[in-house]
Amino acid sequence: MSPDPATVHEENEVPMTDEAPMAMQARLAPVAATRDLLPARQLKTLAERGSFAVDDSTGDKMIAALEGVVDALQARWNALQKVGEVPAMSKSPAGQFVSRHMAETARDAQGLLTQLQAARDEFPTYVEAIKLAKKNYKEREHSSRETFERIHRTAGDQG
């Protein structure tokens, strides 16, 4: 007797449920689109336009914090990858489905691993933005100093 076709699933096949089309669409969503939504590029654009400035001390602390997070992620990356592996569960169809689903959701467009990877990839852009913002701050400080000196000279000449 052959098994019921409705209950037999291939290894990577998504069982057909009401939520299957949405789950499939979420899995197929490009990661690049998710990355474009991260604010690092926006912050860099603001810095490039001169709309974002930060003093050296604060900028250095921000950069050190970001680099600390990247270093921590890098040091733990192999352990974090295990979240995306299929966990051992029962051999029942339900156990196998849940097991695969857990691993797939860790790696899908909104998954923990996907988001951590996107953050790790974006942090250098944050660092670039902060470096530009530090430069902006120095330029503004220099410009302000020149303006105040000019006002002071003008006031001194007048009186």
Side-chain angles (χ1 to χ4, degrees):
M1 182 167 160
S2 68
D4 179 3
T7 61
V8 175
H9 301 289
E10 293 295 323
E11 183 68 22
N12 294 319
E13 183 182 353
V14 176
M16 293 312 292
T17 66
D18 291 341
E19 287 126 20
M22 290 191 304
M24 196 174 253
Q25 186 177 27
R27 251 198 343 256
L28 297 175
V31 174
T34 303
R35 289 185 182 153
D36 289 342
L37 299 175
L38 295 173
R41 295 184 212 294
Q42 293 170 344
L43 190 64
K44 185 176 176 188
T45 299
L46 288 172
E48 288 169 342
R49 292 179 184 162
S51 301
F52 171 52
V54 65
D55 67 277
D56 276 339
S57 175
T58 303
D60 290 343
K61 289 176 185 174
M62 293 167 73
I63 289 170
L66 289 168
E67 288 174 345
V69 172
V70 169
D71 291 345
L73 279 173
Q74 209 51 44
R76 293 171 181 82
W77 196 250
N78 286 339
L80 289 169
Q81 290 292 322
K82 291 178 184 174
V83 172
E85 294 175 4
V86 177
M89 298 185 90
S90 77
K91 300 286 184 196
S92 71
Q96 293 301 300
F97 170 78
V98 170
S99 181
R100 283 192 311 271
H101 183 69
M102 289 173 68
E104 289 167 359
T105 58
R107 295 184 308 250
D108 70 10
Q110 291 81 33
L112 175 65
L113 290 177
T114 306
Q115 294 303 312
L116 287 174
Q117 178 68 48
R120 188 176 76 169
D121 293 347
E122 290 293 314
F123 279 10
T125 306
Y126 281 114
V127 170
E128 287 178 53
I130 294 166
K131 287 179 179 177
L132 286 169
K134 287 173 52 174
K135 181 181 172 215
N136 291 341
Y137 187 88
K138 287 177 186 173
E139 290 172 357
R140 287 181 189 172
E141 188 175 44
H142 178 75
S143 176
S144 295
R145 188 175 314 131
E146 285 181 344
T147 300
F148 285 127
E149 287 172 359
R150 189 173 49 250
I151 291 170
H152 182 32
R153 280 193 307 271
T154 303
D157 290 346
Q158 292 178 353

